[in-house]
Amino acid sequence: MPTSQRLTELPAWRALERHRDATQGRRLCARFAGDPHRAERFSTEVAGFFADWSRHRVDEETMRLLAELAEARGLPARMAAMFAGERINTSEDRAVLHVALRAPAGERMLVDGRNVVPGVHEVLDRMAEFCTRVREGSWTGHTGRPIRTVVNLGIGGSDLGPAMATQALRAYATRAIEFRFVSNVDPTDFAEATRELDPAETLFLVCSKTFTTLETLTNARAARAWCLAALKEEAAVARHFVAVSTNAEAVAEFGIDTANMFGFWDWVGGRYSVSSAVGLSLMLAIGPGRFREFLAGMRAMDEHFRSAPLQHNLPVVLALLGVWYTDFLGAQSHAVLPYEQYLRRFPAYLQQLEMESNGKSVQHDGRPVEVDTGPSVWGEPGTDSQHAFFQLLHQGTHLVPCDFIAFARSCNERGQQHELLLANLLAQAEALAFGKTPDEVAAEGVPPGLVPHRSFPGDRPSTILLGEQLTPFSLGVLIALYEHKVFTQGVLWNIDSFDQWGVELGKQLAPRIASELCAPEDPPLSHDDSTNGLIRRIRRQRRS
Ligand code: G6Q
């Protein structure tokens, strides 16, 4: 059960505050100097990833107290409740069982007493059959031509996961089919994505859990009109549109044969859905076998999360470090820095996963939270980001813990370029942690006036996640790692990480404003003065 206890009154919380005060001046260089085994002590290996969190402002006591806090918040019981299919998404009264999406066929996972795993595998098998047909060219368009482009129409959780993963695993994808993602209601998104495409060779995946989302349905209607303008016959829809949804009725109403619909369930949240049928574009790209490897990677992390002791449990460790920085050391943002070009959409994916999940200010029972919750998450791939915002990370006034993500081998080895990439990552993490003192700078002969500008304070924390190579399996591991990190933090803060009421108000207001912008005559307006003025201005500008 969610808790009614006061977080800040827990003995572990109080002890952490005292510990913070007692250790605040302890610098990373001193922590390393004082412990020759620090790197070993603060690292672990899980499912092919080596994780090193030694460059953090923590010592064994910090981690012990943080784990104690997690225990006091009932983390093991909350984990068990999630895996048992209990309705832990309290504000929506739903189970949260994305872990069932990667359970092997023989496993039992129950929601309301029913084993959901057979249904998961039934959909996976149908997806596999469909993907094989499209990839082999036996699923053809209306005129008999093979599919050359797949366009996923979806937004939020129905876009960010598949778009990120399809990009991430491009090295494993067929090159015979191109993959595009249209999410925005901005007409430019659809126009640019379809500009030079041939409708006879294009397949649209309308990906929407609810099948009511304004952006996706608007783009789906645009796609149908675009397709029918060229192919003329309504029957073409059946060959060029498939749906991924939980809402069969709305899919049928749109005109898509439900035989071409791939379902999932209300216990799969949008931003946790990439391992469901929402991953159809990914399976089309990499094929069913590799999609199963991707699921196996997620499963490996699920199993680790479920069974490893808290202090050696990687998602828990990352979550606890996040709580330490957010609530005890005042950090307000968190940077994710993949040194892997294929992961360039990963920070955007994590933005939704973390910020939509833990950007909350009330607890399960409606009481305000007592402390800060999820930080802003941001990032870009290295080394590009080094030439953009690393200045702030090194010498800015904000504390920004970083996650560096890299792989020992590149999918595209070329001379020593990959060593160069990894050297940059290690150099950045080292510079952030240990900096360069004014004495060291002065000893280099730097003029006194420039010494402050060229000194680096150091003590800037980072985690390094090093995999062997980016593969479907390792991507699965990485995604599940962050999913469980987010869940763990939600338990510590006693918030519902699986709802997203914060996106509702804007959705409710937009249709009314849209009708005011479209009205043939100037409508009476009753918004605030600024909104009224902008509506009038836009109407004037669009009519002139
Ligand atoms: C994610 C959110 C949200 C959702 C989109 C798309 O957790 O719920 O981002 O995925 O609003 O919703 P549909 O899939 O229902 O179109």
Side-chain angles (χ1 to χ4, degrees):
M1 282 305 293
T3 179
S4 57
Q5 66 194 179
R6 284 183 62 86
L7 175 63
T8 52
E9 284 173 7
L10 289 172
W13 187 276
R14 292 270 167 86
L16 278 161
E17 284 177 330
R18 287 194 298 273
H19 173 72
R20 185 250 339 258
D21 296 343
T23 58
Q24 213 152 29
R26 198 176 292 164
R27 297 182 55 80
L28 276 176
C29 49
R31 293 181 199 261
F32 269 88
D35 179 1
H37 301 293
R38 184 172 171 85
E40 192 188 321
R41 216 183 290 289
F42 296 105
S43 62
T44 192
E45 235 175 305
V46 180
F49 273 89
F50 176 71
D52 178 343
W53 63 94
S54 60
R55 290 172 192 74
H56 280 289
R57 297 182 187 175
V58 296
D59 53 31
E60 285 202 305
E61 179 68 353
T62 330
M63 298 313 289
R64 191 187 64 73
L65 289 171
L66 285 166
E68 204 176 299
L69 183 69
E71 289 274 4
R73 278 310 236 191
L75 177 63
R78 303 288 294 146
M79 280 159 77
M82 176 172 78
F83 280 93
E86 286 178 29
R87 293 170 181 264
I88 62 165
N89 175 354
T90 50
S91 82
E92 294 181 331
D93 192 25
R94 286 181 182 161
V96 175
L97 211 56
H98 41 276
V99 288
L101 300 168
R102 41 272 187 156
E107 181 124 343
R108 275 171 69 77
M109 286 199 161
L110 306 180
V111 174
D112 296 333
R114 265 198 56 236
N115 183 13
V116 296
V117 178
V120 166
H121 283 269
E122 201 182 298
V123 174
L124 273 175
D125 291 344
R126 285 186 53 232
M127 287 167 64
E129 197 212 322
F130 171 73
C131 290
T132 304
R133 288 179 65 198
V134 173
R135 286 164 58 89
E136 287 176 356
S138 63
W139 173 288
T140 58
H142 185 57
T143 63
R145 303 239 294 271
I147 299 301
R148 299 254 178 256
T149 308
V150 168
V151 184
N152 188 83
L153 307 175
I155 195 164
S158 297
D159 168 71
L160 285 159
M164 176 277 290
T166 303
Q167 167 66 39
L169 297 178
R170 202 163 147 63
Y172 303 88
T174 173
R175 303 282 165 156
I177 301 175
E178 207 194 320
F179 292 85
R180 298 185 178 189
F181 291 82
V182 174
S183 53
N184 201 335
V185 77
D186 182 336
T188 297
D189 201 7
F190 183 82
E192 284 297 339
T194 53
R195 189 174 293 280
E196 77 292 5
L197 296 186
D198 181 347
E201 298 181 341
T202 303
L203 175 69
F204 290 98
L205 314 181
V206 188
C207 191
S208 174
K209 179 175 168 180
T210 56
F211 228 78
T212 57
T213 305
L214 172 90
E215 291 89 338
T216 303
L217 289 192
T218 305
N219 279 321
R221 281 190 285 270
R224 188 169 54 187
W226 177 84
C227 194
L228 292 183
L231 301 175
K232 311 294 180 206
E233 294 159 33
E234 190 67 31
V237 171
R239 306 302 303 170
H240 293 272
F241 286 81
V242 300
V244 174
S245 187
T246 57
N247 186 349
E249 214 172 287
V251 168
E253 205 173 298
F254 181 83
I256 297 177
D257 187 346
T258 48
N260 298 332
M261 167 181 148
F262 300 92
F264 58 116
W265 305 270
D266 76 349
W267 40 265
V268 181
R271 54 194 175 275
Y272 297 86
S273 67
V274 65
S275 47
S276 74
V278 169
L280 186 63
S281 47
L282 175 64
M283 191 193 273
L284 279 163
I286 63 175
R290 285 184 167 138
F291 191 81
R292 286 183 195 275
E293 290 168 21
F294 169 69
L295 297 182
M298 299 184 110
R299 167 75 176 183
M301 184 51 78
D302 294 344
E303 288 295 282
H304 166 78
F305 180 56
R306 197 177 189 173
S307 59
L310 297 188
Q311 284 201 56
H312 303 283
N313 191 313
L314 191 53
V316 174
V317 167
L318 296 193
L320 295 179
L321 289 168
V323 168
W324 177 239
Y325 287 108
T326 302
D327 294 325
F328 294 91
L329 301 181
Q332 295 191 341
S333 82
H334 181 93
V336 180
L337 309 163
Y339 276 60
E340 169 54 72
Q341 188 67 10
Y342 284 125
L343 285 183
R344 67 170 181 266
R345 302 279 329 255
F346 196 62
Y349 168 76
L350 281 191
Q351 271 177 336
Q352 184 193 25
L353 184 68
E354 299 217 9
M355 294 164 75
E356 201 165 74
S357 297
N358 287 342
K360 310 279 163 72
S361 51
V362 293
Q363 303 185 52
H364 280 280
D365 60 8
R367 283 175 304 145
V369 293
E370 294 167 68
V371 296
D372 277 339
T373 58
S376 313
V377 175
W378 55 286
E380 283 286 327
T383 58
D384 287 13
S385 47
Q386 291 175 203
H387 299 262
F389 55 74
F390 268 53
Q391 165 63 41
L392 181 147
L393 299 181
H394 285 290
Q395 291 185 315
T397 55
H398 299 279
L399 170 64
V400 185
C402 303
D403 288 356
F404 287 99
I405 304 172
F407 298 88
R409 281 195 304 275
S410 169
C411 297
N412 298 288
E413 290 289 350
R414 188 174 296 260
Q416 296 188 333
Q417 267 184 253
H418 197 62
E419 279 92 344
L420 216 50
L421 175 74
L422 296 179
N424 268 279
L425 177 156
L426 294 176
Q428 291 298 328
E430 193 175 16
L432 284 166
F434 305 112
K436 198 169 185 183
T437 63
D439 287 348
E440 287 168 331
V441 176
E444 286 174 358
V446 171
L450 283 182
V451 168
H453 297 277
R454 298 187 53 176
S455 302
F456 290 74
D459 238 22
R460 303 193 171 211
S462 63
T463 302
I464 295 180
L465 294 170
L466 180 67
E468 282 158 28
Q469 184 168 352
L470 179 57
T471 61
F473 184 91
S474 60
L475 181 67
V477 172
L478 202 57
I479 293 173
L481 167 63
Y482 282 95
E483 286 179 346
H484 298 317
K485 171 199 163 184
V486 166
F487 165 81
T488 302
Q489 292 188 327
V491 171
L492 267 96
W493 289 318
N494 195 36
I495 56 180
D496 189 336
S497 300
F498 302 101
D499 64 12
Q500 55 284 312
W501 299 107
V503 294
E504 287 303 316
L505 181 58
K507 277 196 198 171
Q508 281 164 17
L509 296 179
R512 177 174 147 209
I513 297 179
S515 65
E516 289 162 348
L517 289 173
C518 296
E521 302 295 330
D522 283 341
L525 298 174
S526 54
H527 303 273
D528 60 277
D529 194 35
S530 166
T531 310
N532 288 343
L534 284 161
I535 291 173
R536 288 193 197 101
R537 173 175 289 269
I538 292 168
R539 286 181 56 86
R540 253 194 334 272
Q541 287 179 331
R542 286 182 61 82
R543 268 177 298 174
S544 64

